Amino acid sequence: MDRLQLLLLGFPILLFFSDVVNLFTTPPPPPPLKSSSRSHHHSPHHSNHPIPDFPTSPQSPQIGGLGYGTRVDLKFCVSCSYRGTAMTMKKMLESVFPGIDVVLSNYPPAFPKRLLSKVVPVLQIGVIAVITAGDQIFPRLGMAPPPWYYTLRANRFGSMASTWLLGNFLQSSLQSSGAFEVYCDGELVFSKLQEQRFPSEYELRELIAKRLPDSSSSANPGRVVL
């Protein structure tokens, strides 16, 4: 029973510290964009590069295309199931502006919510450990089991299931940012956090057309109508 207690207490502590370390670890910088002169000379030694989580623009952009040299970043909430909308916008922009570089990435929530989302799994495991072995844990801590412990212990399986479901719901809500932010060459052109809505395809098309290097495309938006 002593080994079980050590496992139940040690695992959530180890999980908590590993999450804290990962939370404060600086992410690696994004790889530099390949220039057009190198896009046609791929070496066979580079064929085993890992596939990114979000698909980027085609490997060989159309040189001289309407959107060549323009980068659009779609940063959205992955846990909010916005991936389908982001993929639709990406395909639309790539078809309307040939050669444009559309990059999809996750928009993380605020730091306090991220920190709390790391604490929730530890609390889940801690509560389950207390329910299963509280009669051994509390005496070792030099205290008598509180009344709420006996209430949870009376319906052990229901209490553990409720703790697990409630913790998962709370963690999901803490990890969601509700964002769908569109950047064109580093400039914010649309923010769902500010507008409280998604952009329409026509609206996003017009916003990007106004920021293309080709001034004629912004002067005559009719050129980019599907």
Side-chain angles (χ1 to χ4, degrees):
M1 191 63 182
D2 293 337
R3 294 182 179 180
L4 178 60
Q5 294 175 5
L6 291 176
L7 179 62
L8 293 176
L9 293 177
F11 181 72
I13 295 175
L14 177 62
L15 179 63
F16 174 74
F17 280 105
S18 63
D19 287 337
V20 170
V21 171
N22 294 332
L23 184 64
F24 288 96
T25 301
T26 305
L33 296 177
K34 296 182 180 181
S35 59
S36 58
S37 59
R38 297 180 181 179
S39 61
H40 301 286
H41 301 282
H42 294 288
S43 172
H45 299 287
H46 300 284
S47 59
N48 294 326
H49 284 181
I51 300 176
D53 293 336
F54 302 106
T56 56
S57 59
Q59 295 294 329
S60 300
Q62 299 181 13
I63 300 177
L66 188 60
Y68 180 75
T70 301
R71 173 178 172 133
V72 174
D73 291 280
L74 295 180
K75 299 183 179 181
F76 61 97
C77 174
V78 175
S79 61
C80 301
S81 302
Y82 293 168
R83 183 184 179 92
T85 303
M87 289 296 300
T88 300
M89 296 297 184
K90 171 183 170 67
K91 294 178 181 179
M92 181 272 295
L93 292 176
E94 289 177 343
S95 63
V96 173
F97 307 107
I100 197 171
D101 185 16
V102 182
V103 180
L104 307 183
S105 60
N106 180 43
Y107 191 98
F111 178 78
K113 294 181 65 176
R114 281 184 290 161
L115 183 60
L116 289 176
S117 68
K118 300 299 182 180
V119 177
V120 170
V122 180
L123 295 178
Q124 281 181 292
I125 298 177
V127 172
I128 294 176
V130 169
I131 294 174
T132 56
D135 53 348
Q136 301 291 330
I137 296 176
F138 287 110
R140 290 183 177 274
L141 296 178
M143 55 184 298
W148 57 262
Y149 163 71
Y150 295 104
T151 303
L152 296 178
R153 187 66 181 269
N155 186 14
R156 178 184 305 179
F157 295 103
S159 300
M160 289 190 295
S162 300
T163 300
W164 190 257
L165 293 176
L166 180 61
N168 290 345
F169 173 78
L170 182 59
Q171 186 179 18
S172 176
S173 62
L174 290 173
Q175 291 177 345
S176 62
S177 61
F180 193 89
E181 315 300 291
V182 183
Y183 298 83
C184 183
D185 290 333
E187 179 183 359
L188 181 64
V189 297
F190 185 88
S191 172
K192 181 179 178 294
L193 296 177
Q194 299 176 7
E195 302 292 338
Q196 297 298 316
R197 62 178 178 84
F198 286 98
S200 64
E201 292 190 14
Y202 177 80
E203 180 183 11
L204 185 58
R205 200 161 59 225
E206 292 296 307
L207 291 172
I208 300 301
K210 294 178 182 179
R211 289 164 175 80
L212 291 178
D214 187 1
S215 59
S216 61
S217 63
S218 58
N220 184 17
R223 290 183 52 189
V224 297
V225 175
L226 288 176

